[in-house]
Amino acid sequence: QVQLVESGGGLVQPGGSLRLTCTASGSFFSINSMAWYRQAPKRQREVVAYSTSTGRTNYVDSVKGRFTISRDNAKKTLSLQMNNLKPEDTAVYYCNTVSGDFDWGQGTQVTVSS
């Protein structure tokens, strides 16, 4: 059974940084395109960034230049470095395949507030 565990969230002031990590179980990780998602209150879950199995990346426009997604296939981890955080980045962040194939983890809360 595939399990996804997100960590690294917290409370940060505008302009601050956080690094999120997703740890995955199972043998699927290296062959899948993996993504970070976020869901803000009263909004639909959205893809923030994704990384293909070969390391190609893409970002939603609102985070380009501020967020960096990376992966370590050997360790089965997916990371999201978030810099210059803004209040509108406040959300629960999740990882999954780009198709959302697996059960969602609990996510990690990111709150950007002064």
Side-chain angles (χ1 to χ4, degrees):
Q1 183 176 355
V2 173
Q3 187 175 18
L4 303 169
V5 179
E6 301 91 353
S7 62
L11 172 64
V12 64
Q13 292 186 342
S17 298
L18 285 172
R19 185 176 181 85
L20 307 183
T21 300
C22 168
T23 302
S25 64
S27 60
F28 71 96
F29 187 86
S30 63
I31 63 173
N32 273 272
S33 293
M34 297 296 297
W36 280 100
Y37 298 74
R38 67 185 178 189
Q39 187 168 18
K42 300 181 180 180
R43 299 190 68 175
Q44 288 190 335
R45 188 175 290 159
E46 64 171 348
V47 174
V48 174
Y50 71 79
S51 171
T52 68
S53 60
T54 57
R56 182 170 61 87
T57 60
N58 202 6
Y59 302 87
V60 67
D61 285 347
S62 60
V63 308
K64 283 182 179 177
R66 300 189 297 121
F67 290 11
T68 302
I69 188 171
S70 60
R71 63 192 293 163
D72 185 329
N73 288 337
K75 295 182 179 179
K76 297 180 183 178
T77 59
L78 184 75
S79 298
L80 187 68
Q81 177 67 43
M82 305 187 296
N83 298 328
N84 190 22
L85 283 160
K86 302 177 180 181
E88 52 264 41
D89 295 319
T90 295
V92 180
Y93 285 72
Y94 304 86
C95 68
N96 210 318
T97 67
V98 294
S99 302
D101 293 316
F102 301 113
D103 290 343
W104 294 92
Q106 292 187 329
T108 187
Q109 175 71 49
V110 172
T111 303
V112 185
S113 175
S114 55

